[in-house]
């Protein structure tokens, strides 16, 4: 019995079928990063907002789950609650553990988020402050054998006064990079503090700035992840990228068509939703690699309504839906999150995510999912 708007409840019977797991990690024709979440440890948390405890065993086990399905991992990104529960000190431990774990798994790969979150936005006084904060994380990741994803900076968004300021900061960082990096264009729907990033409040102005940075440092840029939840914006960027620079979709609303492509260009993927729908995404991408577009569409299309629900406004709380599905599918024993972020969504939201997850065939253990959903309704629904 699931809740409906207005206080009513209605019976719901599962209709989905779990997706079969591959016996070996499949090969994809698209580079596919899954941005992975962390598992909190509710038994150890004494200050869940300030210093949340992490269940490292479950967190690493989830990364093995993703690697077994053929994914690369985007580590310590906003899916891991960077800046909203996981600070830089915690991110260092996470990155080091994941790098060590990856070395024990044949073919495992990951890239790590480098940002400025150890610098509170209000504490930045100059561009040099921002650069030094970036350099600290960038150098640490490279020193430990990792590759960097250059995350957007709240501090830079606050202090920058022009597109030239962004060119200065990114130019300094890219000129120092040992390996190629992935840039990250994160829209303010994901983080309101990033409004006006790249020195412009309109897409066209921001596009010119970021393309100028990429052109000036194309030998250091593997690609750029764009997360604006607007298919037209990503296609416009994709068409103008220099040869050899990749476009990674971060569009959790339109990823299916963007990954498939338009016959001339396609996007690779760096997506938070792949955390939640990994078996389906893996099967779809494997089919696409075999040229089986029909199966790709049939498998991935049902995940899109689910993703749009999880990433609905306020979009920055999408992480709650990702962890909710990890709990339903048995990847963790509880539904708690660092900083108590599970409270950011309502029971009605979770009920609809449950329905859509079933219809998208991403409830891997249906009986367990039903049992846990009943418990959640009982706790949050009052009986």
């Amino acid at each position: 019995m699931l809740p409906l708007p207005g206080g009513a409840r209605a019976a719901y019977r599962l209709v989905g079928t779990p997706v079969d797991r591959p016996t070996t990690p499949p090969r994809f024709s698209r580079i596919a990063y899954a941005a992975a979440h962390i598992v909190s440890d509710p038994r150890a948390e004494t200050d869940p907002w300030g210093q949340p405890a992490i269940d490292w065993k479950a967190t690493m086990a989830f990364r093995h789950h993703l690697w077994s399905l053929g994914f690369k991992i985007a580590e310590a990104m906003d899916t891991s609650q960077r800046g909203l529960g996981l600070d830089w000190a915690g991110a260092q431990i996470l990155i080091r553990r994941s790098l060590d774990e990856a070395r024990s798994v044949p073919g495992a790969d990951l890239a790590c988020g480098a940002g400025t979150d150890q610098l509170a936005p209000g504490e930045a006084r100059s561009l040099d402050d921002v650069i030094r904060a970036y350099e600290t994380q960038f150098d640490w990741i490279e020193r430990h054998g990792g590759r960097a994803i250059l995350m957007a900076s709240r501090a830079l968004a606050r202090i920058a006064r022009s597109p030239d300021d962004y060119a200065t900061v990114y130019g300094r960082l890219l000129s120092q990079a040992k390996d190629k990096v992935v840039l990250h264009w994160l829209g303010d729907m994901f983080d309101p503090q990033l409004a006006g990033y790249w020195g412009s409040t309109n897409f066209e102005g921001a596009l010119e700035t970021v393309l100028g940075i990429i052109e000036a440092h194309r030998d250091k840029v593997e690609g750029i992840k764009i997360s604006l939840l607007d298919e037209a914006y990503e296609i416009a960027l994709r068409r103008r990228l220099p040869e050899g620079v990749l476009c990674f979709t971060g569009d959790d609303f339109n990823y299916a068509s963007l990954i498939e492509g338009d016959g001339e260009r396609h996007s690779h993927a760096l997506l938070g939703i792949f955390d939640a729908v990994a078996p389906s995404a893996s099967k779809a991408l494997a089919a696409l690699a075999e040229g089986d577009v029909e199966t790709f569409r049939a498998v991935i299309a049902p995940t899109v309504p689910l993703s749009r629900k999880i990433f609905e406004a306020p979009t920055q709380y999408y992480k709650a839906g990702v962890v909710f599905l990890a709990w339903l599918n048995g990847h963790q024993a509880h539904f708690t999150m660092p900083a108590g972020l599970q409270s950011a969504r309502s029971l009605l939201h979770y009920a609809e995510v449950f329905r859509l997850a079933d219809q998208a065939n991403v409830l891997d253990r249906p009986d367990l999912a039903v049992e846990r959903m009943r418990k959640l309704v009982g706790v949050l629904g009052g009986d």
Side-chain angles (χ1 to χ4, degrees):
M1 297 297 294
L2 293 179
L4 299 170
R9 294 190 183 190
Y12 181 80
R13 183 177 296 276
L14 270 62
V15 297
T17 302
V19 172
D20 293 334
R21 303 293 181 89
T23 55
T24 58
R27 291 186 172 272
F28 302 149
S29 56
R30 307 289 189 262
I31 299 171
Y33 284 95
H37 75 282
I38 57 173
V39 182
S40 66
D41 184 352
R43 296 163 298 181
E45 285 178 344
T46 55
D47 181 10
W49 283 15
Q51 293 292 328
I54 298 174
D55 182 337
W56 290 112
K57 182 178 180 181
T59 295
M60 291 300 111
F62 193 78
R63 278 133 185 84
H64 281 271
H65 160 69
L66 294 173
W67 284 322
S68 74
L69 292 167
F71 293 103
K72 300 176 185 290
I73 290 175
E75 190 57 278
M77 303 293 289
D78 52 300
T79 301
S80 292
Q81 292 181 247
R82 286 289 292 273
L84 195 65
L86 182 70
D87 60 12
W88 170 234
Q92 287 175 282
I93 301 171
L94 174 62
I95 290 168
R96 188 174 64 247
R97 283 177 175 264
S98 292
L99 287 170
D100 289 344
E101 204 76 21
R103 295 184 184 104
S104 71
V105 180
D109 193 15
L110 74 159
C112 311
T116 65
D117 48 321
Q118 79 275 34
L119 175 67
E123 294 178 358
R125 297 288 181 266
S126 67
L127 294 181
D128 284 338
D129 290 340
V130 176
I131 291 171
R132 280 192 293 270
Y134 264 131
E135 287 174 338
T136 295
Q137 298 198 15
F138 214 109
D139 293 346
W140 192 92
I141 290 169
E142 290 193 331
R143 192 166 64 251
H144 286 79
R147 293 177 292 107
I149 299 169
L150 201 53
M151 299 170 67
S153 166
R154 292 173 175 175
L156 180 56
R158 179 182 175 277
I159 203 169
R161 296 292 176 264
S162 71
D164 289 343
D165 287 344
Y166 287 87
T168 296
V169 171
Y170 279 83
R172 183 90 65 86
L173 296 168
L174 291 170
S175 66
Q176 297 174 21
K178 295 178 183 178
D179 301 312
K180 287 188 174 184
V181 305
V182 174
L183 305 183
H184 191 185
W185 186 348
L186 190 66
D188 58 5
M189 70 288 293
F190 286 91
D191 187 344
Q193 295 187 56
L194 298 179
Y197 212 75
W198 306 116
S200 178
T201 56
N202 64 76
F203 172 74
E204 289 75 17
L207 178 63
E208 295 303 323
T209 300
V210 76
L211 286 172
I213 292 170
I214 292 171
E215 285 282 4
H217 305 278
R218 58 192 299 179
D219 60 324
K220 293 292 184 71
V221 180
E222 177 187 356
I224 179 169
K225 172 191 175 181
I226 178 168
S227 304
L228 299 183
L229 303 184
D230 189 312
E231 188 171 14
Y233 288 163
E234 182 167 328
I235 291 172
L237 169 67
R238 194 169 72 185
R239 286 174 176 166
R240 295 185 59 187
L241 286 175
E243 186 71 26
V245 177
L246 306 178
C247 182
F248 291 89
T249 186
D251 187 336
D252 299 277
F253 282 9
N254 304 293
Y255 53 90
S257 59
L258 290 164
I259 291 170
E260 180 178 336
D262 56 16
E264 296 182 5
R265 294 176 183 266
H266 61 259
S267 295
H268 299 276
L270 199 166
L271 287 162
I273 192 58
F274 279 0
D275 178 301
V277 302
S280 290
S282 174
K283 181 177 180 179
L285 289 168
L288 187 64
E290 296 294 328
D292 186 353
V293 177
E294 183 177 345
T295 296
F296 169 79
R297 292 173 179 170
V299 174
I300 207 165
T303 71
V304 174
L306 169 64
S307 186
R308 290 182 176 182
K309 182 63 183 180
I310 290 174
F311 285 79
E312 70 181 0
T315 302
Q316 66 265 34
Y317 300 135
Y318 76 87
K319 306 167 191 69
V322 168
V323 175
F324 172 61
L325 286 177
W327 174 61
L328 291 181
N329 284 326
H331 294 294
Q332 54 194 77
H334 56 84
F335 182 34
T336 60
M337 300 174 66
L341 196 69
Q342 69 276 5
S343 65
R345 296 297 200 186
S346 69
L347 178 58
L348 284 172
H349 175 88
Y350 291 127
E352 185 61 12
V353 168
F354 180 88
R355 296 184 190 96
L356 292 171
D358 171 46
Q359 293 158 22
N361 302 310
V362 299
L363 294 182
D364 299 335
R365 300 169 62 182
D367 291 344
L368 178 66
V370 168
E371 175 190 342
R372 290 185 166 181
M373 191 66 208
R374 282 174 177 157
K375 291 179 178 178
L376 187 72
V377 172
V379 171
L380 298 185
D383 57 33

